[in-house]
């Protein structure tokens, strides 16, 4: 507890240094753990913390989301709830493996096989918590109260076992299947990505754009021409596709004399003016269907006898790009695969031609380009086509293209076998459950998230990787006998092997005897997408249903979660999919979505560009409270973007904290003076502060109670973006209006009793303000409280009052709210502000009276001509 000197608190204050002292105080009294102990037995408020990767350092996006979570959970605690707050760590997946691959020079699955999965995973395990201490330091330094000791990690065997249980429940509902599907594929990480992962990192790129000719077998002098920005897919061409209802033309190129077929509306793709060509014929696209053509390459020419290398038709072909003739490589395009399957160009169960390996290099089948990385092969393929006379035109095309979110390399689309959850089958349920949730801001739920759910595809949950939770499926070689395991005990019962760790090196060798005479069942090689693990965290963090079954079920769904707007396609989505598949209910009730924090120049924050200040440096210079309030009092809390400005953090200190601190300092100085000069002991008793004959006392008391009412109403609605501006405005009202207009009373210049009354009123208002603001600015409020505590008469011997964060936020006392006084003062303030405008326009010095106002307003039956006139003159 701080001691107040006769002179009061120091004139200047170093906020970061004072915060360090508060951190030590919290450590000394074990504040967070004590607050949890004190609140046991209260109504439970459930909060889920989305797990970050500890392989990277926290950035402003993490700090923002963490601040929102801390404010809401602190508020819940200080309004009479028990709030468990467990920190989570995402330990598996590409972020970890990619770091190891770079460090060890691993370029593909063969390198891992040579090394051994056990040794590879051991290396992954070593770096999983690389930056955990930095995370703990920064999170704690920012004032966030969360349990690191009772954390959850996705690598814990208990967590992984619950993930197995979750998957088995979904499997038994018939919502899991193994399929061959064209998917976004990361060649750097040798694994497919889900649709929402591929949508996270689009970049504008310039790719080669070529127009290639396909001579018709019936008339080799006539060629269909197709346009593509992926020349590397041309060796795998199996068909062409046209729109059946749109019109196509046969034209003669007057420059070369060659005859081409392309869509009428796409003539500009090849010709600049009408003088460059002559139209020979016009017809609908369906008339081209079935015509065969000469393959571009001979690698797979034998497929012609099975229906390949002919023209197909489908409405997905549009008239807004290319030539209106689409080259189709079924192994590398989702629509290509679908249309070729529909026309029996490829057949289920047959080998799909896919001459690209897991690392994105051509296989030996493509003899001219074998071993070349597909993107690097573009130029060589174009040279080959030019030499063979099939290249009609080449150029460049700028477009938005997906990149791997982890390796920052361009994705390709590639047909791969994968395990899927049938999301498309439960879309209607997802939409219904989404409507049951309350989102702030609501437009993200109604538009962005709703639209994403409406067009959701089946979710590929398997990854061809090593460091992750193994998919618990054991199957026969022909996949006719499949067993899905849901627990360690079940695996032991069926295999006779007991395991204590579920990573691949411990379960891959385990076999299960077949019950249909197929020898033994072996585990499939894939591991779970780490998003499946994080989406399973509500259950897995509690080892549900193996432990804490009743506790979990009584507290599900969560009362609150919060993350950035990018998680609409990530964590928010996977949580909802899994919860809907398991229980047909949403996993959360209330959700806050924050926007993105950008660098001051509007670009993404980049370590490479060094275009943003280090968060630790900002905290060391201005304090964590200032950073917290700056972030929360910005458009980013409404899911908009924020261009981070260091000057904005400085502005919080100057415009909010210093006036607030000065009001507190002024109060304690005058309490000290009163005690010294009058020999009385000042004591504050909350219930003794009530109606006053002083209009400004009654105004600030009413204004304070109205603020309390507003804060509770808005916090119940999770609208932090309306609460903080009002709190900041209140500080302005307190310091610039109440304190300034009552300085003589507070200094004792108008009598002892009036001084005592005004000091009690200011103390009451500041004490209320401290409790209201404590979830938002935990350090400053603690500092002020510790120095004010000595004057507070404690009414309860049972309550621990060592910290402001142990206290409940007060409820509004409606009897003290006087709307008439608030309205009258607001009008007075408007007059004063107008007077200041007149003074500025007339360039009058501050000490020159602009004009005097004589008026007789009646405020709650009190005539206050003298008070209002003097206030106006003083203020203007």
């Amino acid at each position: 507890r701080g001691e107040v000197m006769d002179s009061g608190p120091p004139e200047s204050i170093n906020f970061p240094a004072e915060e360090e002292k508060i951190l030590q105080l919290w450590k000394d009294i074990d504040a967070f753990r004590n607050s949890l102990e004190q609140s046991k037995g209260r109504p439970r408020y459930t909060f889920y913390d989305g797990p970050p990767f500890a392989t990277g350092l926290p950035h402003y996006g993490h700090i923002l989301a963490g601040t929102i979570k801390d404010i809401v959970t602190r508020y819940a605690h200080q309004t009479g709830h028990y709030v468990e707050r467990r920190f989570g760590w995402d330990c598996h997946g590409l972020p970890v493996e990619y770091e190891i691959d770079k460090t060890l020079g691993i370029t593909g699955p063969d390198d891992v096989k040579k090394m051994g999965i056990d040794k590879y995973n051991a290396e992954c395990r070593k770096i999983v918590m690389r930056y955990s201490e930095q995370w703990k330091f920064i999170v704690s330094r920012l004032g966030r109260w969360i349990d690191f000791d009772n954390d959850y990690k996705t690598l814990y065997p208990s967590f992984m076992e619950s993930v197995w249980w979750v998957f088995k429940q979904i499997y038994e509902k018939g919502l899991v299947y193994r399929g061959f599907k064209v998917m976004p594929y990361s060649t750097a990480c040798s694994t497919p990505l889900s649709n929402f992962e591929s949508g996270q990192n689009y970049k504008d790129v310039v790719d080669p754009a070529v127009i290639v000719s396909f001579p018709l077998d019936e008339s080799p002098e006539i060629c269909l021409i197709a346009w593509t920005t992926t020349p590397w897919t041309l060796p795998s061409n199996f068909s062409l596709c046209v729109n059946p209802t749109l019109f196509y033309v046969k034209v003669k190129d007057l420059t070369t004399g060659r005859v081409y077929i392309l869509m009428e509306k796409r003539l500009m793709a090849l010709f600049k003016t009408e003088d460059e060509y002559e139209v020979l014929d016009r017809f609908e696209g369906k008339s081209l269907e079935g015509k065969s053509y000469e393959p571009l390459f001979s690698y797979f020419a034998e497929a012609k006898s099975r229906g390949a290398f002919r023209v197909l038709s489908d409405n997905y072909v549009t008239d807004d790009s290319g030539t209106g003739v689409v080259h189709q490589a079924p192994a590398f395009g989702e629509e290509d695969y679908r249309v070729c399957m529909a026309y029996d160009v490829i057949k289920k169960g047959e080998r799909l031609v896919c001459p690209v390996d897991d690392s994105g290099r051509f296989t030996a089948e493509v003899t001219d380009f074998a071993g070349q990385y597909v993107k690097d092969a573009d130029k060589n393929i174009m040279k080959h086509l030019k030499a063979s006379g099939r290249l009609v035109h080449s150029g460049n095309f700028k477009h938005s293209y997906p990149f791997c979110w982890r390796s920052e390399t361009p994705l390709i689309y590639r047909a791969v076998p994968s395990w899927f959850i049938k999301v498309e089958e439960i879309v209607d349920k997802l939409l219904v459950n989404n409507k049951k949730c309350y989102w702030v801001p609501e437009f993200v739920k109604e538009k962005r998230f709703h639209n994403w759910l409406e067009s959701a595809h089946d979710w590929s949950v398997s990854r061809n990787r090593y460091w992750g939770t193994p998919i618990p499926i054991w199957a026969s070689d022909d996949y006719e006998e499949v067993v899905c395991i849901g627990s360690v005990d079940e695996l032991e019962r069926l295999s006779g092997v007991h395991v204590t760790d579920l990573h691949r090196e411990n379960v891959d060798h385990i076999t299960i005897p077949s019950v249909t005479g197929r020898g033994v069942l072996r585990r499939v090689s894939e591991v779970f997408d780490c998003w499946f693990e994080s989406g399973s965290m509500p259950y897995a963090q509690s080892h549900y249903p193996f432990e804490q079954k009743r506790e979990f079920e009584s507290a599900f769904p969560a009362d609150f979660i919060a993350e950035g707007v990018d998680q609409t396609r990530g964590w928010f989505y996977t949580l909802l999919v899994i919860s809907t598949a398991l229980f047909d209910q949403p996993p959360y009730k209330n959700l806050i979505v924050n926007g993105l924090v950008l660098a001051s120049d509007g670009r993404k924050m980049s370590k490479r560009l060094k275009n943003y200040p280090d968060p630790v440096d900002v905290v060391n210079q201005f304090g964590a409270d200032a950073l917290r309030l700056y972030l929360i009092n910005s458009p980013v809390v409404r899911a908009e973007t924020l261009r981070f400005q260091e000057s904005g953090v400085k502005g919080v200190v100057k415009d909010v904290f210093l006036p607030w601190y000065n009001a507190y300092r002024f109060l304690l100085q005058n309490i000290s003076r009163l005690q010294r000069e009058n020999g009385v002991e000042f004591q504050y008793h909350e219930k003794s502060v009530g109606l006053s004959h002083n209009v400004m006392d009654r105004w600030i008391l009413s204004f304070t109670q109205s603020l309390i009412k507003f804060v509770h109403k808005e916090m119940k609605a999770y609208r932090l973006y309306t609460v903080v501006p009002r709190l900041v405005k209140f500080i302005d009202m307190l310091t610039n209006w109440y304190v300034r207009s009552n300085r003589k009373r507070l200094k004792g210049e108008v009598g002892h009793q009036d001084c005592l009354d005004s000091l009690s009123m200011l103390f009451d208002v500041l004490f209320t303000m401290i409790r209201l603001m404590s979830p938002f600015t935990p350090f400053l409020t603690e500092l002020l409280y510790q120095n004010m505590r000595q004057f507070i008469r404690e009414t309860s011997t049972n309550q621990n009052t060592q910290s402001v964060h142990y206290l409940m936020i007060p409820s509004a006392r409606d009897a003290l709210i006087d709307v008439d006084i608030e309205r009258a003062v607001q009008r007075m303030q408007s007059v004063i502000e107008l007077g200041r405008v007149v003074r500025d326009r007339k360039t009058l010095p501050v000490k020159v009276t602009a004009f005097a106002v004589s008026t007789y307003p009646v405020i709650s039956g009190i005539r206050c001509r003298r008070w209002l006139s003097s206030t106006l003159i003083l203020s203007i």
Side-chain angles (χ1 to χ4, degrees):
R1 183 185 293 197
E3 293 299 322
V4 180
M5 307 297 291
D6 280 353
S7 58
E11 183 175 352
S12 63
I13 180 172
N14 182 328
F15 289 109
E18 293 298 329
E19 289 180 353
E20 295 283 358
K21 294 176 187 176
I22 296 301
L23 283 172
Q24 187 59 49
L25 169 70
W26 290 342
K27 185 177 179 181
D28 292 343
I29 65 175
D30 202 3
F32 175 48
R33 204 159 303 283
N34 270 322
S35 72
L36 291 176
E37 283 296 321
Q38 293 167 29
S39 61
K40 278 184 177 176
R42 295 179 188 168
R44 190 167 179 179
Y45 183 90
T46 312
F47 159 70
Y48 295 154
D49 194 31
F53 288 104
T55 48
L57 291 169
H59 51 66
Y60 285 102
H62 294 119
I63 292 169
L64 169 63
T67 300
I68 292 171
K69 296 170 189 177
D70 191 52
I71 289 170
V72 173
T73 52
R74 281 181 181 273
Y75 176 83
H77 168 80
Q78 289 183 263
T79 51
H81 297 88
Y82 174 75
V83 191
E84 186 179 68
R85 285 155 272 181
R86 296 176 64 192
F87 200 83
W89 302 98
D90 212 339
C91 304
H92 289 147
L94 290 180
V96 182
E97 291 196 38
Y98 187 66
E99 291 297 317
I100 293 301
D101 289 353
K102 282 196 302 182
T103 303
L104 302 182
I106 289 172
T107 59
D110 289 341
D111 292 339
V112 178
K113 191 175 180 181
K114 288 176 189 173
M115 179 181 184
I117 292 175
D118 56 339
K119 292 184 176 63
Y120 182 84
N121 279 356
E123 293 297 321
C124 290
R125 191 184 289 271
K126 286 178 187 176
I127 71 159
V128 158
M129 303 303 289
R130 175 188 286 171
Y131 296 115
S132 61
E133 290 307 312
Q134 288 93 325
W135 270 89
K136 290 176 184 177
F137 168 77
I138 292 173
V139 169
S140 300
R141 181 61 187 86
L142 285 157
R144 187 177 175 196
W145 280 8
I146 193 160
D147 196 342
F148 284 107
D149 296 329
N150 185 32
D151 64 2
Y152 73 87
K153 294 185 177 76
T154 58
L155 59 70
Y156 286 158
S158 60
F159 191 100
M160 296 169 72
E161 184 178 27
S162 288
V163 172
W164 275 17
W165 176 86
V166 167
F167 185 71
K168 179 167 184 176
Q169 303 310 301
I170 298 173
Y171 179 88
E172 290 185 337
K173 290 175 184 282
L175 293 174
V176 175
Y177 69 94
R178 182 177 186 266
F180 218 90
K181 194 171 184 179
V182 176
M183 297 179 60
Y185 188 89
S186 170
T187 56
C189 299
S190 303
T191 192
L193 302 181
S194 60
N195 284 314
F196 60 82
E197 285 178 297
S198 67
Q200 288 185 327
N201 191 18
Y202 269 79
K203 296 183 181 183
D204 287 335
V205 296
V206 177
D207 275 325
V210 297
I211 296 177
V212 184
S213 65
F214 296 85
L216 293 173
D217 286 340
E218 62 185 38
S219 304
E221 72 282 0
I222 302 173
C223 300
L224 285 106
I225 54 173
W227 175 86
T228 182
T229 58
T230 54
W232 64 268
T233 62
L234 289 170
S236 305
N237 170 267
F238 261 52
S239 66
L240 298 173
C241 193
V242 298
N243 187 296
T245 60
L246 296 180
F247 281 91
Y248 288 74
V249 289
K250 180 167 66 174
V251 298
K252 183 176 182 180
D253 185 332
L254 297 179
T255 303
T256 64
R258 302 183 70 177
V259 178
Y260 301 126
I261 294 175
L262 71 163
M263 190 182 285
E264 184 177 39
K265 288 185 177 180
R266 297 304 308 161
L267 282 162
M268 78 287 289
L270 183 60
F271 304 107
K272 292 180 180 178
T273 67
E274 293 182 2
D275 298 333
E276 296 178 10
Y277 62 87
E278 176 188 351
V279 177
L280 305 177
D281 199 2
R282 181 176 183 268
F283 40 83
E284 284 187 325
K286 62 185 176 185
S287 64
L288 295 168
E289 188 176 322
K291 293 183 182 295
S292 60
Y293 60 86
E294 182 186 335
L296 276 175
F297 297 91
S298 60
Y299 311 131
F300 311 108
E302 78 285 350
K304 194 163 193 173
S305 62
R306 301 193 300 274
F309 308 113
R310 57 193 171 99
V311 181
L312 316 177
S313 69
D314 192 89
N315 289 321
Y316 91 86
V317 180
T318 62
D319 60 5
D320 58 359
S321 64
T323 63
V325 179
V326 178
H327 130 72
Q328 294 196 134
F332 303 113
E334 195 171 358
E335 297 288 4
D336 310 33
Y337 183 89
R338 176 183 63 80
V339 176
C340 285
M341 185 71 76
Y343 277 87
D344 286 335
V345 174
I346 57 175
K347 297 179 179 67
K348 237 176 188 178
E350 289 187 0
R351 173 182 172 270
L352 178 67
V353 171
C354 183
V356 173
D357 67 17
D358 291 343
S359 299
R361 299 180 181 279
F362 279 115
T363 62
E365 295 168 292
V366 181
T367 53
D368 297 295
F369 314 109
Q372 294 183 31
Y373 178 64
V374 291
K375 287 285 186 179
D376 296 338
D378 278 343
K379 289 182 180 179
N380 294 331
I381 290 170
M382 290 162 66
K383 286 179 184 177
H384 189 285
L385 292 171
K386 186 174 183 180
S388 64
R390 302 290 288 270
L391 184 66
V392 178
H393 181 267
S394 65
N396 292 316
F397 182 69
K398 186 177 181 179
H399 62 144
S400 186
Y401 193 82
F403 276 64
C404 175
W405 63 278
R406 177 46 51 184
S407 65
E408 293 291 337
T409 55
L411 300 176
I412 65 172
Y413 283 80
R414 179 173 180 248
V416 290
S418 188
W419 291 93
F420 293 89
I421 291 177
K422 296 179 182 177
V423 176
E424 292 167 29
E425 196 171 296
I426 60 171
V427 162
D428 290 343
K429 291 180 179 179
L430 292 173
L431 293 170
V432 170
N433 284 333
N434 183 43
K435 287 181 179 177
K436 296 176 184 176
C437 306
Y438 176 75
W439 286 55
V440 175
E442 191 176 23
F443 74 84
V444 182
K445 165 191 169 181
E446 298 294 343
K447 294 182 179 178
R448 184 171 182 147
F449 196 57
H450 175 87
N451 294 342
W452 177 253
L453 292 177
E454 210 169 30
S455 58
H457 296 291
D458 288 354
W459 175 14
S460 167
V461 295
S462 60
R463 296 291 177 268
N464 302 101
R465 300 301 302 181
Y466 312 95
W467 178 242
T469 300
I471 289 184
I473 287 179
W474 271 254
S476 57
D477 293 341
D478 58 6
Y479 279 90
E480 290 298 317
E481 186 179 347
V482 177
V483 173
C484 185
I485 301 295
S487 70
V488 170
D489 286 346
E490 184 182 4
L491 178 61
E492 184 176 6
R493 189 172 68 252
L494 295 178
S495 69
V497 180
H498 179 73
V499 292
T500 55
D501 186 287
L502 299 180
H503 288 93
R504 280 193 63 176
E505 62 271 24
N506 301 304
V507 298
D508 278 5
H509 67 281
I510 297 174
T511 59
I512 295 174
S514 168
V515 295
T516 60
R518 287 182 166 82
V520 295
L521 311 184
R522 292 180 174 83
R523 197 193 72 80
V524 298
S525 62
E526 297 96 332
V527 298
F528 279 115
D529 169 14
C530 59
W531 287 101
F532 186 83
E533 294 179 308
S534 59
S536 300
M537 65 74 52
Y539 331 101
Q541 70 167 345
S542 302
H543 197 205
Y544 180 83
F546 308 102
E547 295 181 65
Q548 305 181 51
K549 191 171 188 293
R550 183 179 298 174
E551 291 89 338
F552 169 80
E553 291 172 357
S554 66
F556 182 83
D559 289 292
F560 166 69
I561 65 170
E563 292 294 344
V565 69
D566 52 325
Q567 294 303 321
T568 50
R569 295 184 176 188
W571 192 51
F572 300 154
Y573 173 71
T574 61
L575 281 172
L576 185 62
V577 168
I578 292 173
S579 177
T580 299
L582 286 177
F583 306 121
D584 192 18
Q585 69 177 111
Y588 41 76
K589 298 174 186 174
N590 304 288
L591 189 157
I592 294 179
V593 189
N594 63 262
L596 302 178
V597 183
L598 305 175
S600 58
D601 58 6
R603 290 188 291 177
K604 186 177 178 181
M605 288 186 171
S606 166
K607 290 179 185 176
R608 179 178 57 83
L609 296 175
K610 296 181 180 177
N611 59 351
Y612 66 94
D614 187 305
V616 175
D617 293 341
V618 172
V619 169
N620 287 339
Q621 187 173 0
F622 304 110
D625 276 348
L627 178 57
R628 285 170 65 114
L629 209 61
Y630 168 70
L631 291 172
I632 294 301
N633 191 28
S634 75
V636 79
V637 188
R638 300 190 299 272
E640 299 171 19
T641 55
L642 168 67
R643 292 189 178 193
F644 186 87
Q645 303 282 353
E646 202 169 341
S647 59
V649 186
K650 183 179 180 180
V652 171
V653 175
K654 180 173 69 73
D655 301 330
V656 180
F657 290 172
L658 285 175
W660 186 6
Y661 175 78
N662 286 333
Y664 144 84
R665 180 171 170 268
F666 183 73
L667 168 69
L668 264 60
Q669 280 178 328
N670 282 286
I671 288 175
S672 177
R673 178 199 51 74
L674 177 74
Q675 294 185 146
R676 186 176 62 252
E677 293 177 1
N678 294 277
V680 298
E681 182 183 359
F682 178 87
Q683 276 205 327
Y684 165 78
H685 193 292
E686 188 167 16
K687 291 183 179 177
S688 68
V689 177
L691 289 176
S692 166
H693 293 295
N694 183 280
V695 176
M696 285 301 274
D697 282 356
R698 294 174 66 179
W699 165 70
I700 196 64
L701 192 58
S702 176
F703 198 74
T704 302
Q705 300 307 311
S706 295
L707 176 69
I708 295 171
K709 204 168 188 177
F710 176 82
V711 168
H712 283 307
K713 176 184 163 217
E714 296 301 292
M715 285 300 290
K716 282 177 183 174
Y718 294 88
R719 289 190 288 262
L720 274 64
Y721 56 86
T722 63
V723 171
V724 177
R726 278 287 286 267
L727 290 169
V728 172
K729 180 185 175 184
F730 182 83
I731 293 172
D732 174 64
M733 291 293 176
L734 177 66
T735 56
N736 289 328
W737 294 96
Y738 181 76
V739 173
R740 284 183 65 185
S741 65
N742 283 275
R743 292 183 76 87
K744 288 185 177 181
R745 293 176 65 223
L746 292 162
K747 286 183 174 182
E749 294 176 14
V750 292
H752 170 74
Q753 189 58 46
D754 208 26
C755 174
L756 198 57
D757 291 344
S758 61
L759 286 174
S760 294
M761 185 62 66
L762 181 56
F763 195 102
D764 181 77
V765 171
L766 276 171
F767 184 41
T768 300
M769 184 68 185
I770 285 167
R771 286 173 289 171
L772 269 178
M773 285 288 286
S774 59
F776 297 87
T777 55
F779 291 104
L780 182 56
T781 53
E782 187 74 272
L783 171 68
L784 304 190
Y785 173 72
Q786 290 300 325
N787 280 325
M788 292 171 69
R789 252 181 84 197
Q790 60 189 297
F791 301 112
I792 300 171
R793 185 188 301 167
E794 296 181 4
T795 56
S796 172
T797 56
N798 297 324
Q799 186 180 14
N800 187 328
T801 59
Q802 282 184 295
S803 168
V804 70
H805 303 292
Y806 295 170
L807 308 182
M808 294 298 101
I809 294 173
S811 298
R813 291 181 279 173
D814 291 339
L816 300 178
I817 296 177
D818 190 325
V819 178
D820 291 335
I821 283 185
E822 290 190 43
R823 189 183 299 116
V825 172
Q826 187 178 19
R827 287 170 180 166
M828 177 199 74
Q829 290 169 333
S830 298
V831 171
I832 290 171
E833 291 300 335
L834 288 170
R836 286 173 178 165
V837 170
V838 171
R839 178 186 290 282
D840 290 342
R841 287 177 179 173
K842 299 290 184 182
T843 62
L844 290 173
V846 175
K847 293 186 178 180
V848 175
T849 302
F851 51 83
V853 177
S854 294
T855 182
Y856 298 84
V858 178
I859 304 176
S860 299
I862 302 173
R863 287 190 177 274
C864 49
R865 172 190 180 190
R866 182 183 302 167
W867 165 75
L868 186 55
S869 297
S870 61
T871 302
L872 285 168
I873 293 168
L874 286 169
S875 301
I876 297 172

